[in-house]
Amino acid sequence: MFNESPFAGRGQDPEELLARARQALDNEDWSTAVKVLNSILLRHKKEAPAQTYSLLALALRAQDKLDRAEKIACKGMQDHPDDISILTEYADIARARQDWAEAERRQAEARSRKEQLNKANALQSPSATLHVKDAAEPELNAPEPGQQPVAGASVKTRKIMWLSPMFALDRRSGAACQIYAVLCTLARAGWDAYAVNMTLCDGQEEYPVGKIIGESQAGPENHGKVFKIKRDEVKHNIFYTRSSYSKNLVREEAQEFFQHAKKAMEQIQPDVVITYGGSKLWKELISVARKNCKRLVFFMANTAYDDAESFRPFDTVLINSNFNREHYLEKIGIDSLVLPEVLPPNVLVQPEDVLAARAPEQRGMGLITMVNPSKAKGATLFARLANMALSERPDLTFMAVEGRMTDEQWKRAGINLSRQPNVWWIPNQENMTRVYARTSILLFPSFWNEAAGRVGIEASLGGIPVLASNHAGIPEMLNGAGFLFDIPDKCREKYSKVPSPEEVRPWLNKIIELMDNEEAFREASQRAVECCARHHPGNVKPRVVQLFEDIYQGNNMVPPLQPGQKGKNTTNAPVVKGEKTGRNQPCPCGSRKKNKKCCRISEVGKAQEIQDA
């Protein structure tokens, strides 16, 4: 019996009981919260405060007792038809059922009722309009006596959370860089920005996590611990894993992180959760996030996803280019919103910071740079180019900035780029501005379907001419800046193929022209800045903030799948080039051989092939 609860004494003040219920909810003690709130309803019946119903429905929903939660919400709407918190919880129950159409209908009803009440109060009191607070909105702090209210104080602080096993501070991943830049942008616009993640990163080599959490903290004794740091106004919850390589993640770590992330979500109650992934752990996190956030958003940064149904739980999908949006509309039938490329603070470089852009007459002192020389990114073209230049133009110096493939991995594959006399090989850089400062020309010879290509934007904004591939999303991102070249079909079909000297000749000719002709270089540098001005943070920030404000408000939303729409599933279709494949799957190069017997084979002898050409 509920009246046997120590919190259920007859005559106790309902506000006092509500306070105890909130404390139980904060401690995730759902059963105690249910007992306390039920006791209020039993003792006070229709005189029970409206919040009793919304909190009780929330506690029941947290235990997946959705039928009971819905009955309580319906009863609350009967007794308190004007309470927005109950209407909002009613919509959240539909979301927990993954009934997206009904959830949107209920949320629209809550917004409509909120507007009606605000209008009614405005008519009753013309001098002041009552703001009916949505249950999902945190309270604003009241100003101190004598303090002037902050402009725009009627707009509450929004909360956004990056939620994923993948590390938002991974500098090897363009997608992670974009996510981190978005969090920084929103934090500077007044949002509370959080990142709840593990230290899992791109690449198969260990990431130097110690540079982020501190070298003294990065010992094995701290594996499994959560580090909380604040960087660029973003609050990070970092679960320190034994390895930064996701395939080395062990079950115990996954379970511990899941419990930590679940608790963080329930405590923070973010308005917007943004994520990407596809692992089993990630799917479990999404299930919990759906119950604890107002909007659930997926960020799509590549062309490899193939199952439309996996996007149905999301309110919207954000994508990094119009090219990629059209790609997914055709491939699996999902729609999306384009998120402009946002540059993080550590890559923005101005022309006056770049030697060649500031003083074109000194461009010969600069370097010809490639970032992330991996097979898919066109490293064999880079190697051929450097080898040809060594004999024809030994005065030119190339630089390779390590990314997913390390120097050791390239040596095992048979190409020793770091031993090339005219190539400087440097490790992955935390601060790319120093790289761009010494770069005269940037090479971006990507072989695969590059959805966007942010490195070309970063260089162009610094006045660095870019030589890039003429396919996928790269031309869209450059917007007329740089110079585009077709990639040989054999290289697009099999990334380890080495282009011939004739196929690389146009790249080398353009490099020689820019390095020998000051006027041509100066014109290319100015055009780069002008064409990519739309990507400058000053122009992008207002668009990004407005986009997420619309997502928060539910305005201009584009659901990935409409209610009743069946998306395409290409999981069992032939593997297309560029996607990650297992050892026993068909090789993406189209040879019809197993991957382990084709492109996964180390390309021993490729270095000799280049030298002999």
Side-chain angles (χ1 to χ4, degrees), residues 226-230 236-238 260 267:
V226 175
F227 290 87
K228 295 186 177 182
I229 65 173
K230 188 173 182 180
H236 296 265
N237 284 273
I238 303 170
H260 167 72
Q267 289 179 344

Side-chain angles (χ1 to χ4, degrees), residues 102-132:
E102 178 63 14
E104 185 58 35
R105 187 192 69 77
R106 293 179 183 183
Q107 191 63 49
E109 182 181 344
R111 288 195 297 267
S112 175
R113 188 61 183 146
K114 180 178 174 181
E115 292 172 0
Q116 292 174 9
L117 292 173
N118 278 329
K119 289 178 181 178
N121 282 290
L123 291 173
Q124 294 173 9
S125 178
S127 60
T129 300
L130 175 65
H131 173 65
V132 181

Side-chain angles (χ1 to χ4, degrees), residues 198 200-201 203-207 241-254:
M198 308 174 91
L200 300 182
C201 302
Q204 299 180 17
E205 298 292 325
E206 291 299 325
Y207 192 86
T241 54
R242 293 177 178 86
S243 170
S244 65
Y245 185 33
S246 58
K247 289 189 177 180
N248 293 336
L249 184 70
V250 298
R251 178 179 296 180
E252 291 76 16
E253 289 178 311

Side-chain angles (χ1 to χ4, degrees), residues 158-164 168 179 182-183 186 191-197 234-237 257 260-276 285-286 288-289 292-293 295-298 548:
R158 281 78 163 103
K159 298 179 185 177
I160 184 169
M161 176 188 289
W162 161 248
L163 176 68
S164 176
I179 287 294
V182 167
L183 294 177
L186 293 176
W191 287 55
D192 282 340
Y194 301 85
V196 177
N197 47 202
V234 179
K235 302 162 190 173
H236 296 265
N237 284 273
F257 174 68
H260 167 72
K262 181 174 180 288
K263 185 174 181 180
M265 280 186 285
E266 291 167 348
Q267 289 179 344
I268 296 171
Q269 289 289 302
D271 297 305
V272 178
V273 167
I274 186 168
T275 184
Y276 60 67
L285 291 171
I286 292 310
V288 175
N292 289 279
C293 71
R295 305 290 178 205
L296 186 58
V297 178
F298 190 96
F548 278 90

Side-chain angles (χ1 to χ4, degrees), residues 243-364:
S243 170
S244 65
Y245 185 33
S246 58
K247 289 189 177 180
N248 293 336
L249 184 70
V250 298
R251 178 179 296 180
E252 291 76 16
E253 289 178 311
Q255 292 172 341
E256 290 174 14
F257 174 68
F258 175 81
Q259 293 302 325
H260 167 72
K262 181 174 180 288
K263 185 174 181 180
M265 280 186 285
E266 291 167 348
Q267 289 179 344
I268 296 171
Q269 289 289 302
D271 297 305
V272 178
V273 167
I274 186 168
T275 184
Y276 60 67
S279 66
K280 183 178 179 181
L281 170 59
W282 175 82
K283 291 176 182 177
E284 294 293 331
L285 291 171
I286 292 310
S287 177
V288 175
R290 183 71 274 180
K291 300 175 184 178
N292 289 279
C293 71
K294 185 173 183 179
R295 305 290 178 205
L296 186 58
V297 178
F298 190 96
F299 175 60
M300 191 112 68
N302 61 46
T303 60
Y305 293 94
D306 52 21
D307 182 13
E309 287 301 316
S310 63
F311 298 101
R312 198 174 289 279
F314 294 89
D315 294 301
T316 196
V317 170
L318 297 181
I319 211 155
N320 54 353
S321 67
N322 284 299
F323 161 80
N324 216 12
R325 178 176 180 269
E326 295 298 325
H327 168 81
Y328 277 107
L329 275 170
E330 180 178 351
K331 182 181 180 182
I332 56 177
I334 66 166
D335 204 352
S336 54
L337 292 169
V338 176
L339 172 67
E341 285 288 331
V342 190
L343 301 186
N346 64 332
V347 299
L348 181 61
V349 60
Q350 304 291 346
E352 55 267 26
D353 301 323
V354 177
L355 174 64
R358 182 178 66 248
E361 66 277 8
Q362 299 186 48
R363 64 197 179 282

Side-chain angles (χ1 to χ4, degrees), residues 8 30 52 67 109 138 184 195 261-263 335 348 372 374 399 410 438 521 526 539 573 613:
W30 313 122
T52 308
D67 289 340
E109 182 181 344
C184 292
K262 181 174 180 288
K263 185 174 181 180
D335 204 352
L348 181 61
N372 189 10
S374 61
M399 178 166 62
W410 271 113
R438 290 297 311 276
F521 185 93
Q526 293 174 351
N539 295 324

